[in-house]
Amino acid sequence: MDESLNKNPEKIEMAKAYDSSQVEGKWYQFWEENGFFHSEVDEKKNPFSIVMPPPNVTGALHLGHAMDGTIQDILTRYKRMRGFNTLWLPGTDHAGIATQAKVEAQLVKEGTSRGELGREKFLDRVWEWKNQYGGRITQQLRRLGASCDWERERFTMDEGCSQAVREAFVTLYQKGLIYRGNYIVNWCPKCHTTISDIEVEHVDSEGNLYHLRYPVKDSDETLIVATTRPETMLGDTAVAVHPEDERYQHLIGKTLILPLVGREIPIIADEYVDREFGTGAVKITPAHDPNDFEIGLRHQLPQIAVMDKEAKMNEHAGKYQGLDRFEARKVIVEDLKALGVLVKIDAHAHAVGECYRCATVIEPMVSKQWFVKMEPLAKPAIEVIKDGRLGFVPDRFDKIYLGWMENIRDWCISRQLWWGHRIPVWYCDDCGQEICAKEDPTSCPSCGGVHLKQDPDVLDTWFSSGLWPFSTMGWPEKTPELKQFYPTSVLVTGRDIIFFWVARMIFMAMEFMKEVPFPKVMIHGLVLDSKGRKMSKSLGNGVDPIEVIEQYGADTLRFMLITGNTPGNDLRFHPERLEATRNFCNKIWNASRFVLMNLEDYEAGPRGELTLADRWILTRYASLVEKTTEALESYDLGEAGRILYEFIWNEFCDWYIELSKPRLYNKEDVLARHTAQSILLEVLEGTLRLLHPFMPFLTEEIWQNLPVEGVSIMMQSWPEAPAYHEEDAVRNMTLLMDAIKAIRNIRAEMKVSPGQKVEILILAADSSQRQVLERGKADILKLAGGASVELLEAAAEKPSQAASAVLEGVEIYLPLKGLMDLDKEVARLEKEIALVVSEQNVLEVKLNNPGFVGKAPAAVVAKERERAEGLAARKIALEERLKELLQS
């Protein structure tokens, strides 16, 4: 960092109102230009690193990205302020299918196609598109305030990442963990490529269950099978029943005649069959159903594909050749009906698999593809969860991850696309040799031939992003970055890509780095609309984060996204929460502006005697530092935000600033004024630093105007809790505030106008309580609108025509004379008694629970019992007051 930098290059007086549009661009440019986001390797410092889940180059910022980016930025800014050598590494993903589809759509508008251009020219066009539009989302992340190290930005197809992909593929191939073979895959007829199991979205659909009669050879007997897909019967190679199903024991091993085709197929027994589904007899079509494929392997059944890659019926479909699969279904059902083979059709709701990209119904097909053998890779990735080397936050996601990994199938990694990492395998036309190499071969190592053809397929996008935590730091080279910043410190991501991405990073890291890629995975939920629905174009319920930023400011959006929610759960987006958060920003601005206006003559120096309010706010501020830090360390960002909100709004702004005003305005008592100024500045400046990771722009703008040293708030150290732990001050201040609040509540309910001063009578049995309230008389008069305050012992006579409030050990009366509505006061007291009873009931259940009493710390149990005693005394006092009013 340049030591010659001046604080606040555009220092101006704080405006009356906070205008985010005038602040955000200025400060982001200042931070980035001065290299505050960048870190060099420094082995003297403890590292903290995060790799950004790389958004697709096709993407635009949505609320999920905004939440994800905000969480990562909060953690990064926090750790930077804690003195860590901090790296938040950004980047984007080439997003094979999505990007290719974008460019193909562009070509259609131009009247041409991928096929007409050819592979090389098409790829040139994709790179052009990527260079023009691929950085859009990273620019939008800047608007959000993301403090990424943009100097280290990566792309999954840049030179270094491409080298890492080659290294990983060849290594796995040579170890026998990558193989090529015929297997059933999910085929998208529109995208013209395979997609993995987790890329298939299962959608509930209303369909039919067709009952078909298959004749048994050399017999008058028939076997009725039930199917949801009669069009695939043309590829049937068996009918299966459960081996213990008594209905069909006599038929196992016999032969059926396949209707419409006339082919002979066996009746087999397999435990997979569900005896309760349909008739308990199911047709087996190994080439068009993944479960049938597995049954076919067990029973050595042939695989007959009856559809092509467009999902149209092929040459094996006879007269139905050329028909779309769904059109063929209609025609085949009519033909079966005409033959008398169709027994009945039942309505049947079932899940249909769709392509996650284009929503086309996927077609299971047997195809020659490249696979990763998962069992040996999954084992160490399972062990790291079980032995605690890696864990999810919240930990309930540990079980979800393990459930998937323990039942994982081999991973199909080949995609029939042009955009992506091309599979580094070549085939020799001269001798048929298969060559897998890190560098493009020029001749066949087996026969010396030069007629080599590279495999046309590319790798699944998730193959390259699975290497992201270490490929981005220079692997396979042993770089200084890899040494310092790997393993990364935490991964922040959504629950929707645990299987897509998180699992693959873990097993890839364990294979190549022999170490977890991160010890913690912080999972956040999805951002839903106010009705709990996923945001989508079709529903028209999406919210553009950039529009929100332009209207409300980035800090408002950031704070709204991380508060009011528990870790790992989905967040419902309520627009009114933006208004509330903007009000919070304005509250901070106005309070800071007030403090600054009263610091004109401030000079650092010793403080005078501290008031109760001073000792209280310093103790509360110390607690704020401790609790905010604790919440951030446990990744409970929402709780940290809530703690800050409560302190700033309810304690600092609403109470301490108000209580400090008499001393600030009394310029004759210089020492008292200076003491109030000093504490206001200390607490405000420290609180701004605590708030900075959440609201970077607002806090920087305010901090730059404070009389403190430094270049930027983001480069300041994280606050240390001051040595103030005066619980007596907190207890006494709480009593004073409760008394003021009680008087305010009475005034509000009795509709006493704000300008009207009232007499206040306070009865307190405890002399220490009377002493606190006596010293706080001036504050009570000022903040509760009192004309006078009289303090008496509890035994004193109580006024009859007065509105009252009962605190623990203290009774407050406002003799409102002719102003009080007796019925209204009775109703108010009855309501207050009901609330006390409700609290008592909750507390009684808690204290009667052996689990709580036995497991909670003794001090906590004692405090709850003390609270129960206080509620009982309060209830008695309220009931007595109610009785007095009813008798008056």
Side-chain angles (χ1 to χ4, degrees):
M1 187 176 70
D2 186 353
E3 296 296 334
S4 65
L5 288 171
N6 291 318
K7 183 183 172 192
N8 193 348
E10 299 178 35
K11 182 157 184 171
I12 54 171
E13 290 300 314
M14 285 183 69
K16 287 186 178 180
Y18 177 61
D19 184 350
S20 59
S21 66
Q22 298 297 311
V23 167
E24 293 175 356
K26 172 183 72 175
W27 288 121
Y28 198 89
Q29 183 181 357
F30 177 68
W31 296 328
E32 192 170 1
E33 284 180 354
N34 287 290
F36 295 161
F37 303 155
H38 179 66
S39 289
E40 292 292 340
V41 172
D42 183 351
E43 293 183 2
K44 295 175 184 176
K45 285 185 174 182
N46 290 325
F48 176 84
S49 58
I50 298 180
V51 289
M52 177 187 290
N56 293 348
V57 286
T58 59
L61 191 69
H62 59 63
L63 283 176
H65 290 128
M67 175 187 277
D68 202 75
T70 296
I71 293 169
Q72 291 173 82
D73 194 48
I74 289 170
L75 294 173
T76 302
R77 288 179 183 270
Y78 164 63
K79 288 292 185 176
R80 189 184 287 122
M81 295 175 81
R82 290 297 300 266
F84 285 78
N85 193 25
T86 304
L87 169 64
W88 180 15
L89 195 149
T92 49
D93 189 275
H94 63 279
I97 297 175
T99 308
Q100 181 158 318
K102 286 271 187 186
V103 179
E104 287 198 62
Q106 199 174 56
L107 293 177
V108 169
K109 290 179 182 178
E110 296 172 14
T112 185
S113 68
R114 169 168 64 113
E116 286 183 30
L117 283 183
R119 187 166 193 143
E120 295 307 315
K121 287 186 178 178
F122 175 75
L123 289 176
D124 288 343
R125 285 295 300 268
V126 182
W127 277 108
E128 285 175 20
W129 188 94
K130 184 265 174 189
N131 292 333
Q132 186 174 356
Y133 299 106
R136 176 174 48 186
I137 195 166
T138 56
Q139 290 302 320
Q140 291 176 329
L141 284 167
R142 285 173 163 88
R143 293 286 305 274
L144 188 69
S147 61
C148 304
D149 189 343
W150 296 110
E151 294 177 43
R152 297 184 186 273
E153 185 177 356
R154 301 302 301 270
F155 175 54
T156 49
M157 281 179 62
D158 66 27
E159 187 177 345
C161 288
S162 296
Q163 182 189 351
V165 167
R166 280 275 183 105
E167 179 80 20
F169 186 98
V170 173
T171 303
L172 292 173
Y173 179 92
Q174 290 172 346
K175 291 178 76 170
L177 294 174
I178 285 182
Y179 65 93
R180 192 178 184 226
N182 284 319
Y183 204 80
I184 194 151
V185 294
N186 304 301
W187 179 263
C188 176
K190 185 175 180 182
C191 295
H192 282 201
T193 185
T194 58
I195 59 174
S196 67
D197 289 345
I198 52 176
E199 292 170 325
V200 176
E201 292 189 347
H202 294 279
V203 179
D204 290 336
S205 176
E206 293 298 324
N208 293 313
L209 190 62
Y210 301 87
H211 295 254
L212 311 178
R213 194 189 307 276
Y214 285 33
V216 180
K217 184 183 177 184
D218 300 329
S219 166
D220 293 334
E221 196 170 358
T222 59
L223 182 60
I224 298 173
V225 302
T227 179
T228 59
R229 302 195 66 200
E231 68 277 11
T232 63
M233 69 178 290
L234 306 175
D236 286 2
T237 54
V239 166
V241 297
H242 194 279
E244 296 173 7
D245 193 332
E246 295 179 0
R247 294 172 293 178
Y248 304 122
Q249 290 286 316
H250 66 293
L251 292 175
I252 295 171
K254 292 192 176 182
T255 301
L256 296 171
I257 306 299
L258 182 61
L260 297 179
V261 180
R263 188 169 64 246
E264 294 184 3
I265 58 174
I267 301 171
I268 61 173
D270 196 282
E271 290 186 351
Y272 169 78
V273 178
D274 179 0
R275 285 175 278 185
E276 304 303 318
F277 177 77
T279 63
V282 294
K283 56 192 246 7
I284 304 300
T285 319
H288 290 284
D289 182 277
N291 298 311
D292 291 3
F293 179 82
E294 298 291 345
I295 293 171
L297 291 179
R298 287 197 289 274
H299 296 271
Q300 293 83 48
L301 299 174
Q303 300 162 358
I304 303 173
V306 296
M307 293 179 208
D308 62 19
K309 291 183 176 180
E310 302 281 345
K312 291 181 179 178
M313 309 307 287
N314 65 14
E315 67 276 11
H316 296 298
K319 70 173 189 174
Y320 306 106
Q321 183 175 358
L323 291 177
D324 172 79
R325 54 186 164 165
F326 300 119
E327 184 60 35
R329 179 184 298 176
K330 295 175 187 174
V331 176
I332 287 169
V333 168
E334 289 304 314
D335 287 352
L336 291 170
K337 199 181 292 181
L339 284 173
V341 173
L342 182 64
V343 178
K344 64 174 180 174
I345 303 173
D346 291 334
H348 178 66
H350 63 292
V352 174
E354 293 182 352
C355 173
Y356 79 115
R357 282 290 175 197
C358 67
T360 301
V361 175
I362 62 103
E363 186 57 51
M365 283 189 179
V366 175
S367 176
K368 185 166 273 193
Q369 301 286 344
W370 287 96
F371 294 88
V372 173
K373 199 176 289 183
M374 283 310 306
E375 186 180 358
L377 292 173
K379 283 180 180 176
I382 289 168
E383 284 306 309
V384 297
I385 295 287
K386 290 185 174 179
D387 64 22
R389 278 178 284 167
L390 191 152
F392 287 80
V393 180
D395 60 9
R396 68 176 182 272
F397 288 100
D398 286 4
K399 290 181 181 178
I400 295 170
Y401 167 88
L402 287 172
W404 188 72
M405 288 296 287
E406 288 168 349
N407 295 283
I408 197 168
R409 299 199 315 177
D410 285 358
W411 173 21
C412 177
I413 55 170
S414 47
R415 298 290 181 267
Q416 289 65 52
L417 302 169
W418 286 354
W419 173 245
H421 293 100
R422 196 163 175 183
I423 289 174
V425 172
W426 290 259
Y427 308 102
C428 177
D429 286 346
D430 297 324
C431 70
Q433 177 74 17
E434 186 177 279
I435 308 152
C436 179
K438 295 175 188 176
E439 303 294 336
D440 293 9
T442 55
S443 61
C444 175
S446 181
C447 71
V450 294
H451 301 104
L452 307 179
K453 288 182 181 175
Q454 188 174 359
D455 193 298
D457 289 353
V458 300
L459 287 165
D460 178 8
T461 304
W462 300 104
F463 190 96
S464 53
S465 55
L467 308 172
W468 190 248
F470 48 95
S471 66
T472 52
M473 295 186 195
W475 184 87
E477 302 299 322
K478 294 181 179 178
T479 64
E481 286 79 8
L482 205 58
K483 184 180 178 182
Q484 177 158 58
F485 294 116
Y486 186 89
T488 60
S489 306
V490 62
L491 176 76
V492 177
T493 192
R495 62 173 173 78
D496 52 333
I497 57 170
I498 292 174
F499 310 135
F500 278 103
W501 189 45
V502 180
R504 286 168 178 158
M505 281 191 288
I506 296 171
F507 67 68
M508 288 288 208
M510 296 310 296
E511 173 65 22
F512 294 111
M513 302 299 293
K514 310 305 178 189
E515 198 172 4
V516 294
F518 25 71
K520 290 290 180 188
V521 181
M522 182 181 175
I523 296 293
H524 60 77
L526 305 177
V527 184
L528 309 175
D529 71 6
S530 58
K531 296 178 181 176
R533 302 173 300 176
K534 193 173 179 179
M535 293 185 180
S536 68
K537 288 180 182 177
S538 59
L539 289 174
N541 62 346
V543 175
D544 184 346
I546 298 300
E547 288 183 7
V548 173
I549 290 170
E550 287 173 353
Q551 184 177 356
Y552 293 94
D555 291 330
T556 295
L557 176 62
R558 288 166 62 109
F559 200 78
M560 185 279 295
L561 285 171
I562 59 93
T563 51
N565 197 37
T566 50
N569 290 340
D570 293 341
L571 173 74
R572 290 197 181 194
F573 178 84
H574 294 282
E576 55 270 22
R577 287 190 62 225
L578 286 170
E579 294 288 349
T581 307
R582 182 164 62 180
N583 290 342
F584 179 49
C585 290
N586 290 334
K587 185 88 168 178
I588 297 165
W589 181 264
N590 292 334
S592 303
R593 192 164 172 270
F594 170 82
V595 173
L596 273 164
M597 287 166 61
N598 286 279
L599 290 179
E600 290 173 0
D601 58 345
Y602 175 74
E603 290 181 9
R607 292 169 178 165
E609 185 182 352
L610 300 186
T611 65
L612 172 62
D614 293 338
R615 289 182 288 117
W616 165 74
I617 198 66
L618 288 170
T619 302
R620 294 300 299 141
Y621 170 65
S623 176
L624 172 75
V625 175
E626 291 168 357
K627 289 181 177 178
T628 304
T629 305
E630 185 182 307
L632 285 169
E633 287 294 328
S634 61
Y635 301 106
D636 196 347
L637 275 55
E639 176 63 7
R642 186 197 66 78
I643 292 166
L644 283 162
Y645 180 96
E646 293 292 334
F647 175 83
I648 293 167
W649 191 297
N650 296 329
E651 295 182 318
F652 185 66
C653 293
D654 282 0
W655 286 101
Y656 186 72
I657 285 179
E658 292 302 316
L659 291 165
S660 69
K661 283 179 179 178
R663 285 183 294 163
L664 290 175
Y665 297 158
N666 183 4
K667 296 194 177 181
E668 292 181 8
D669 192 339
V670 176
L671 189 56
R673 173 176 160 80
H674 168 77
T675 303
Q677 288 175 321
S678 173
I679 293 172
L680 280 167
L681 179 59
E682 178 185 344
V683 175
L684 174 60
E685 195 274 341
T687 304
L688 288 173
R689 278 188 280 152
L690 293 173
L691 188 63
H692 175 72
F694 301 83
M695 294 182 168
F697 297 110
L698 175 71
T699 52
E700 183 75 272
E701 179 71 8
I702 297 169
W703 188 87
Q704 290 286 346
N705 285 280
L706 294 179
V708 291
E709 295 296 318
V711 175
S712 168
I713 191 172
M714 70 172 287
M715 305 307 289
Q716 299 304 298
S717 61
W718 187 252
E720 294 289 333
Y724 283 98
H725 291 280
E726 299 190 34
E727 293 308 316
D728 282 351
V730 173
R731 185 167 52 253
N732 293 338
M733 189 65 199
T734 301
L735 172 64
L736 183 61
M737 291 190 300
D738 285 348
I740 292 169
K741 283 188 279 188
I743 297 164
R744 286 173 172 175
N745 288 340
I746 294 171
R747 291 178 63 107
E749 292 192 27
M750 295 295 105
K751 291 189 168 51
V752 177
S753 66
Q756 186 171 349
K757 303 293 183 184
V758 294
E759 293 176 13
I760 301 166
L761 181 64
I762 302 176
L763 276 62
D766 186 89
S767 60
S768 62
Q769 286 184 320
R770 281 202 309 279
Q771 194 174 40
V772 169
L773 294 167
E774 184 70 45
R775 288 176 179 171
K777 268 186 177 183
D779 295 323
I780 296 171
L781 285 169
K782 179 178 182 296
L783 299 179
S788 63
V789 177
E790 188 178 358
L791 278 154
L792 302 171
E793 292 185 16
E797 187 179 345
K798 301 168 188 177
S800 57
Q801 289 292 314
S804 63
V806 178
L807 307 177
E808 200 172 313
V810 174
E811 296 174 42
I812 299 171
Y813 296 90
L814 269 62
L816 297 177
K817 299 175 183 175
L819 297 175
M820 191 181 76
D821 183 326
L822 186 62
D823 292 339
K824 199 168 186 179
E825 177 65 359
V826 166
R828 193 179 69 80
L829 286 170
E830 287 175 340
K831 182 180 174 183
E832 201 165 338
I833 291 167
L835 288 171
V836 171
V837 170
S838 177
E839 278 188 66
Q840 282 182 307
N841 291 339
V842 171
L843 207 50
E844 186 180 356
V845 170
K846 197 174 186 180
L847 291 170
N848 287 334
N849 179 0
F852 170 74
V853 176
K855 294 178 182 178
V860 173
V861 176
K863 193 171 182 179
E864 293 294 73
R865 285 192 170 132
E866 187 181 328
R867 186 167 151 240
E869 289 171 8
L871 285 170
R874 188 173 169 208
K875 179 171 174 277
I876 291 167
L878 283 166
E879 286 174 339
E880 284 180 358
R881 178 59 187 158
L882 179 62
K883 185 178 177 182
E884 288 166 5
L885 275 180
L886 292 172
Q887 290 174 349
S888 62

